């Protein structure tokens, strides 16, 4: 029931078809549930869905920000052609998903996504191989981070990324076994 690796070949056309100027990003379907979303989560193999009563997606006071600690974090971003389904989403901290509030160093998954969009926008005839691997320890339900690998197809030397994105949040202690936090 844990989301695994996502791999894709991304073209400018794929990316452009998901641009906010072309199509509004849809909401997550109610069936998009991820491991760690519930502290008391149980995975139903027949329905391929997580259930529970104690939801971990709730407000928290973060460093300089009050909001949700966790996001349903895409492995392949919607803006790069990804979908809104469970197989493409992990439970990611705000910092893991979108980076910090500091515009000088945004980080998170947004870092590689932005670089990839910028590359494809200026090299529309090229494509990139994009792979994201969530890393779990043992049977933990929440990944410790994601390993992002990106490489241009036509000119691998010109554009390539190998980035580790930590699934942590300053000032918060995460129980990676069930997603609970303090």
């Amino acid at each position: 029931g844990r989301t695994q690796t996502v791999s894709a070949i991304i073209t400018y056309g794929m990316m452009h078809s998901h641009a906010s100027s072309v199509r509004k990003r849809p909401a997550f379907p109610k069936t998009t549930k991820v491991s760690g979303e519930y502290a008391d989560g149980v995975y139903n193999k027949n329905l391929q869905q997580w259930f529970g009563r104690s939801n971990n997606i709730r407000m928290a006071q973060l460093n300089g920000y009050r909001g949700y600690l966790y996001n349903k974090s895409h492995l392949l971003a919607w803006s790069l052609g990804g979908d809104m389904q469970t197989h493409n989403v992990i439970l990611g901290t705000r910092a893991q998903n979108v980076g910090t509030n500091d515009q000088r160093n945004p980080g998170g998954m947004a870092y590689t996504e932005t670089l990839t969009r910028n590359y494809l926008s200026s090299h529309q005839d090229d494509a990139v191989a994009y792979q994201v691997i969530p890393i779990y320890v043992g049977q933990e339900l929440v990944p410790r981070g994601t390993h992002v690998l990106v490489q241009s197809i036509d000119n691998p030397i010109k554009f390539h990324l190998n980035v580790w994105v930590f699934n942590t949040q300053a000032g918060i202690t995460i129980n990676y076994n069930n997603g609970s936090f303090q």
Side-chain angles (χ1 to χ4, degrees):
R2 298 182 302 184
T3 302
Q4 300 299 312
T5 301
V6 169
S7 301
I9 302 296
I10 304 169
T11 64
Y12 174 79
M14 278 175 64
M15 182 184 78
H16 181 70
S17 73
H18 279 220
S20 58
S21 61
V22 174
R23 172 165 47 164
K24 182 181 176 193
R25 181 181 133 170
F28 283 104
K30 290 182 180 177
T31 55
T32 302
K33 309 281 186 190
V34 294
S35 62
E37 185 172 346
Y38 299 100
D40 58 350
V42 176
Y43 184 69
N44 183 313
K45 289 182 183 178
N46 294 328
L47 296 176
Q48 295 183 344
Q49 191 172 24
W50 287 91
F51 294 91
R53 283 183 263 178
S54 181
N55 198 316
N56 287 321
I57 301 178
R58 62 183 194 276
M59 301 292 271
Q61 182 62 51
L62 307 175
N63 189 10
Y65 167 81
R66 177 164 171 72
Y68 289 98
L69 166 66
Y70 289 123
N71 300 148
K72 289 182 179 176
S73 177
H74 289 90
L75 296 183
L76 179 61
W78 169 261
S79 64
L80 296 175
D83 63 27
M84 308 298 281
Q85 302 301 318
T86 301
H87 67 260
N88 186 38
V89 181
I90 63 165
L91 193 65
T93 63
R94 177 177 170 77
Q96 182 275 337
N97 192 28
V98 298
T100 66
N101 291 333
D102 184 349
Q103 295 301 318
R104 295 165 293 162
N105 183 18
M109 293 293 288
Y111 172 75
T112 55
E113 294 161 2
T114 299
L115 291 176
T116 300
R117 283 191 302 274
N118 291 346
Y119 178 80
L120 287 172
S121 291
S122 61
H123 299 86
Q124 295 180 14
D125 292 333
D126 200 351
V128 296
Y130 198 94
Q131 184 177 55
V132 182
I133 308 160
I135 305 298
Y136 303 90
V137 174
Q139 297 302 308
E140 292 177 343
L141 298 180
V142 178
R144 298 292 179 124
T146 50
H147 186 186
V148 184
L149 300 156
V150 186
Q151 188 166 345
S152 163
I153 300 297
D154 288 347
N155 193 347
I157 303 301
K158 190 169 193 169
F159 182 66
H160 57 276
L161 303 167
N162 182 352
V163 178
W164 172 257
V165 181
F166 290 94
N167 196 10
T168 60
Q169 187 75 45
I172 301 290
T173 301
I174 297 172
N175 179 337
Y176 291 91
N177 288 306
N178 67 7
S180 63
F181 64 90
Q182 28 179 307

